[in-house]
Amino acid sequence: MIALEPMSQTSSRDRYSLYGAKTGNCFRVAIGLEEAGIEYTPIVVDLMGGEQRGHAHRSLNPMGKVPVLAVNRAGGERFVLTQSNAILLHLDQLRPGLLLPQVPDERARALERFMFFLTDVIGPNHGAFKLRAPNITHGSLYLENIALRGIDYSESFLRESKFIGGSRFSLADIVAFTIINSMRDRIDWPNMPRLAKWFREVTNRPAVVRGMNAFDL
Ligand SMILES: N[C@@H](CCC(=O)N[C@@H](CS)C(=O)NCC(=O)O)C(=O)O
């Protein structure tokens, strides 16, 4: 049988750069890198000034968006990834067991909650954000309420387990934290004691604090 060699090998000498700004998508990746213990250089992209649409940034991400993770491999090649959630799943593969459980059922549960936040909370909230600028207020409020109802529902996850995706901190907590943090003023906290306790604890995790400060340069 022929053993297939991977086309490119990761190495402890690879150098990671995270291009981003103070947005939920970028915070998620910075927190993921911090939780995984991967050293990286944060590079601020000036979104207000349109730097993301300039030639230099588009050579990394033709869509002109952040975050972008650029990996300079020890062997000289460059590997570039866009899409915050694809980056998070890549980090899980680099540091198995730190960002997602490895036991299949536990991993599936954590991924189920990860996907729940991406599609049922962050997705509608992103739609609400897009409708705000053109003043489509009714549509914007409608989508924002869908996102808030999803957050209400997540209180039930914490009846079964200490963290959103299971007994240990995982990618599910990272995606839940960044969106809940950005919507924290609209959340019915008195009716969600478990979520409130979880939110306080996650806010104070050292890796989360470092990730949330990554673009304060
Ligand atoms: N699906 C992408 C979304 C990326 C995205 O929308 N990034 C925003 C910041 S959160 C951006 O770069 N906005 C600047 C622009 O669109 O000009 C991801 O998850 O990484």
Side-chain angles (χ1 to χ4, degrees), residues 23-25 28 47 52-53 64-67 82-85 126:
T23 75
N25 289 330
R28 277 207 288 285
L47 296 186
Q52 73 279 18
R53 289 187 291 275
K65 304 233 180 240
V66 288
T82 64
Q83 292 297 334
S84 54
N85 305 301
H126 182 69

Side-chain angles (χ1 to χ4, degrees), residues 23-206:
T23 75
N25 289 330
C26 300
F27 288 142
R28 277 207 288 285
V29 175
I31 293 171
L33 284 158
E34 296 285 352
E35 290 281 352
I38 296 174
E39 262 186 53
Y40 65 102
T41 304
I43 298 169
V44 175
V45 176
D46 175 12
L47 296 186
M48 299 303 278
E51 193 183 347
Q52 73 279 18
R53 289 187 291 275
H55 178 72
H57 191 75
R58 278 194 197 271
S59 70
L60 290 170
N61 181 3
M63 273 200 82
K65 304 233 180 240
V66 288
V68 173
L69 184 74
V71 190
N72 287 323
R73 298 267 186 238
E77 330 83 277
R78 196 165 215 221
F79 176 62
V80 176
L81 262 185
T82 64
Q83 292 297 334
S84 54
N85 305 301
I87 298 172
L88 289 177
L89 292 170
H90 181 58
L91 300 182
D92 163 61
Q93 211 171 17
L94 295 179
R95 296 287 185 277
L98 289 184
L99 297 176
L100 281 173
Q102 290 185 292
V103 174
D105 287 7
E106 293 174 12
R107 185 180 181 85
R109 182 69 67 221
L111 280 171
E112 178 188 59
R113 305 273 162 86
F114 173 72
M115 299 296 174
F116 169 79
F117 271 95
L118 295 184
T119 62
D120 296 18
V121 182
I122 294 175
N125 191 58
H126 182 69
F129 174 76
K130 290 283 182 196
L131 294 180
R132 232 168 267 146
N135 276 325
I136 307 178
T137 311
H138 180 71
S140 169
L141 287 175
Y142 180 79
L143 288 174
E144 187 181 296
N145 269 326
I146 292 178
L148 284 168
R149 278 208 306 275
I151 292 175
D152 287 353
Y153 178 66
S154 69
E155 171 82 0
S156 67
F157 301 156
L158 298 166
R159 265 185 224 125
E160 305 162 8
S161 57
K162 179 166 163 39
F163 292 102
I164 295 287
S167 60
R168 289 181 46 200
F169 185 87
S170 75
L171 293 186
D173 296 283
I174 297 179
V175 295
F177 174 75
T178 54
I179 185 65
I180 289 174
N181 185 51
S182 76
M183 299 186 82
R184 63 186 181 278
D185 296 341
R186 282 158 283 166
I187 291 175
D188 181 16
W189 290 112
N191 281 319
M192 288 190 278
R194 290 180 182 83
L195 198 72
K197 179 169 178 288
W198 165 89
F199 184 68
R200 276 194 303 275
E201 285 173 8
V202 174
T203 302
N204 290 316
R205 282 174 76 87

